[in-house]
Amino acid sequence: MDIIVDKLVKTYGIQKAVDNISFKVKTGEVLGFLGPNGAGKTTTMKAITTFLIPDSGNVHVGSYSITKNAEAVKRSIGYLPENNPLYEDMPVIDYLKFVGELQGISQENIYSSLASVIDTCGLEAEKHKKISELSKGYKQRVGLAQALIHNPDVLILDEPTTGLDPNQIVEIRDLIRKIGQEKTVILSSHILAEVEATCDRILIINNGKIVADGTTSELRSQASGNNVLNVKIESGEVNDIYEKLSNLDDADVVDIVDADKSRFQIDSKGGTSLAADVFQLCVKENWVLTELIPVETKLEDIFKELTTE
Amino acid sequence: MNKIWIITKRELQSYFDSLMAYILLILFLGFSGFFTWLYGSDIFFIKQATLMPFFSIARWTLFFFIPALTMRLLSEENRMGTIELLLTKPVSNWQVIMAKFLASLLLLVIALLLTIPYIISVSSIGNLDMGQVFSGYFALILFSSMMIGIGLFTSSIGNNQIVSYLLALFIGIFFQIIFDMLGHNFLGFVGYVLDYLSTTTHFDSMIRGVIDTRDVIFFVGITFISLVFSEIMLIKKRYA
């Protein structure tokens, strides 16, 4: 099911939480929602799940609109809210059964659905425990299990991996990727590596507006045209090396990162790489080149560039 | 309907799991039993085979206990954020309100059913008017639904259980005492309206065995209005 968000606006008092956002997510796509705190990620997700009623604009999930067919939208969505609220006084299995029944799973199918989500989320050993007795990671799994129980076409996950240990994070990411092959998934996160690892597409929002939209590689090439090299050259006079590096045709800025160890950082002009030039220079001057590392523009930098003014 | 029952079942389960239900049942039976059978103008004192003392005492016992029962129904959901989970499932606001109302009402009905031995005891002592007994229990159920409605509304306002409890008592005391008092001090239409808003008027005539539609409409009306207000509070959160 496709999700179409159309000119969504939501204000809290005078603050615009979501300011005229429009985007589309196709079936089989995992969309990562990135943004600093208070950017409007959660508000957008709450609007898609029909919990918050927007000031204007609309969201379509498949052919259903959140204003006209809220029931049908809710049935097609599996939602893991922020902070993962749960009925802590219930045992895991009773809770999942309750959610399953609410989602309209028939009595004959409910036990097979329960068995399947308990298996996928690795809750077999904990299923009879009270939710309040579980660790944060297991609670998170219960939250995920309740979102998956009715096998929804759309999954909305608000920070799905908070509180999980590294192994669990890998498991959950694999799970999301697996689910994402046939379903539409929107997940928000502030962990950039996570979004990079799980999502086909990234949407960065800031102050309620979309500031970037594309795959990781697209975002990278958009963000910076410069090529940066980290270089370590031994057996030469530091100032001499600095001067000669600066005199290279395409070198824009040369920094001495560490004078004692003679490390340099070279920014090139335009999109060209200086690696070959640096190597030729070292050969000519008879310097020993011990490191030549191209620096990739990190997602963090793109994020920082786009979300700070 | 089915959706309502699913949520009602969960709420009832939670009452029994949290011991709330047992505490309520024991306290209700303890208090009302003590004052009905052992102390004050009890059944033996008035020398009549009637359950009227029980009904009067039960009304005041329920007045204090019901807000304790309803105070967490929505405030806890608001505090924990589980209301978001519930409302993003395919259920309507009204279904959620009705389910919670029904859960509390069912628990109250269980409490009242446990007083059936009172009927048996009194009817074995003298000639008990069963019509009056029926009408009295009916009045208790109507009064309970009114208090549950008010309690549910005060619970829907914020996320603090104590505030919800006290606010329910505060609103309740108007219907229990203040409207009655004011009603005696006003003449004409105002006096009539205030008198009509007092639970005492309606309750007392019902436990005497008179079922008047005006009395029924009063209790059902207040209940319905409270439930509608609770729903409005839920909807308001979704616009906030």
Side-chain angles (χ1 to χ4, degrees), chain A:
Chain A
M1 270 183 175
D2 293 2
I3 301 171
I4 302 162
V5 175
D6 188 22
K7 300 194 182 92
L8 201 67
V9 178
K10 178 79 198 170
T11 34
Y12 297 119
I14 49 159
Q15 193 200 356
K16 272 201 171 167
V18 174
D19 189 1
N20 207 7
I21 278 186
S22 302
F23 62 91
K24 187 178 173 188
V25 195
K26 291 192 289 287
T27 311
E29 195 170 35
V30 181
L31 178 80
F33 233 29
L34 272 178
N37 296 328
K41 296 175 298 218
T42 300
T43 307
T44 310
M45 290 184 147
K46 283 183 176 176
I48 298 172
T49 56
T50 76
F51 182 66
L52 271 185
I53 293 147
D55 299 343
S56 69
N58 203 346
V59 179
H60 280 88
V61 176
S63 54
Y64 308 119
S65 137
I66 55 161
T67 48
K68 293 197 190 86
N69 327 84
E71 288 257 337
V73 170
K74 290 181 194 173
R75 256 195 301 277
S76 359
I77 288 181
Y79 178 37
L80 173 67
E82 195 186 18
N83 304 327
N84 189 24
L86 296 165
Y87 290 120
E88 305 244 329
D89 55 342
M90 291 178 95
V92 173
I93 194 153
D94 288 3
Y95 175 66
L96 293 177
K97 185 159 172 271
F98 166 70
V99 174
E101 282 174 345
L102 268 189
Q103 289 288 8
I105 302 175
S106 63
Q107 283 302 316
E108 58 261 34
N109 293 331
I110 194 128
Y111 290 101
S112 58
S113 305
L114 275 176
S116 112
V117 288
I118 284 173
D119 182 49
T120 349
C121 300
L123 285 164
E124 186 58 40
E126 323 286 326
K127 65 181 176 187
H128 293 298
K129 281 192 189 159
K130 261 193 181 180
I131 295 178
S132 56
E133 291 164 7
L134 299 180
S135 68
K136 202 168 177 216
Y138 274 106
K139 281 183 188 164
Q140 199 69 23
R141 291 175 187 221
V142 176
L144 205 61
Q146 65 84 25
L148 291 169
I149 187 134
H150 57 301
N151 197 18
D153 290 323
V154 173
L155 261 184
I156 311 276
L157 310 171
D158 204 345
E159 306 200 343
T161 57
T162 34
L164 300 179
D165 66 43
N167 292 335
Q168 291 168 337
I169 290 180
V170 172
E171 277 174 42
I172 296 290
R173 280 182 195 165
D174 288 344
L175 182 64
I176 292 171
R177 256 200 305 267
K178 205 174 88 193
I179 295 165
Q181 283 164 5
E182 52 211 277
K183 295 180 198 300
T184 321
V185 181
I186 298 184
L187 70 90
S188 81
S189 178
H190 52 256
I191 306 164
L192 300 159
E194 172 169 301
V195 174
E196 207 169 357
T198 29
C199 301
D200 306 320
R201 201 175 123 206
I202 295 173
L203 207 64
I204 301 181
I205 62 174
N206 190 31
N207 291 331
K209 287 197 168 78
I210 297 177
V211 288
D213 179 1
T215 60
T216 12
S217 52
E218 278 170 13
L219 289 185
R220 277 216 182 86
S221 59
Q222 267 173 34
S224 158
N226 282 13
N227 254 303
V228 182
L229 284 176
N230 272 334
V231 177
K232 184 175 175 188
I233 297 169
E234 284 168 10
S235 75
E237 169 57 33
V238 174
N239 287 329
D240 185 35
I241 297 170
Y242 175 76
E243 212 162 290
K244 285 187 169 135
L245 281 175
S246 304
N247 286 338
L248 282 172
D249 282 344
D250 286 328
D252 190 13
V253 185
V254 179
D255 276 333
I256 303 174
V257 181
D258 187 340
D260 296 336
K261 292 180 182 138
S262 60
R263 281 175 192 274
F264 304 87
Q265 189 173 60
I266 312 166
D267 285 23
S268 71
K269 287 177 194 150
T272 51
S273 170
L274 277 174
D277 298 349
V278 171
F279 177 74
Q280 298 293 353
L281 182 70
C282 291
V283 172
K284 207 176 92 196
E285 302 288 335
N286 210 15
W287 294 332
V288 181
L289 179 65
T290 51
E291 276 177 28
L292 181 66
I293 307 162
V295 181
E296 258 196 337
T297 322
K298 284 199 292 264
L299 203 54
E300 272 86 351
D301 300 327
I302 303 169
F303 183 79
K304 234 165 85 181
E305 197 178 307
L306 290 167
T307 57
T308 44
E309 56 263 22

Side-chain angles (χ1 to χ4, degrees), chain A residues 10-12 46 49-55 71 74-75 77 79 81-82 85-91 95 98-99 101-104 130 146, chain B residues 2-3 6-7 9-11 13-14 17-18 72 77 80-93 95 100 235 237-240:
Chain A
K10 178 79 198 170
T11 34
Y12 297 119
K46 283 183 176 176
T49 56
T50 76
F51 182 66
L52 271 185
I53 293 147
D55 299 343
E71 288 257 337
K74 290 181 194 173
R75 256 195 301 277
I77 288 181
Y79 178 37
E82 195 186 18
L86 296 165
Y87 290 120
E88 305 244 329
D89 55 342
M90 291 178 95
Y95 175 66
F98 166 70
V99 174
E101 282 174 345
L102 268 189
Q103 289 288 8
K130 261 193 181 180
Q146 65 84 25
Chain B
N2 186 30
K3 293 271 163 61
I6 294 166
I7 303 174
K9 235 170 36 187
R10 195 205 82 77
E11 290 295 338
Q13 184 71 48
S14 140
D17 283 350
S18 66
R72 52 163 275 287
E77 301 245 15
M80 298 290 290
T82 43
I83 192 73
E84 190 174 347
L85 267 179
L86 202 52
L87 293 178
T88 49
K89 303 286 174 278
V91 288
S92 65
N93 301 317
Q95 281 171 326
K100 299 206 169 235
I235 296 172
K237 277 196 187 72
R238 309 179 79 165
Y239 279 99

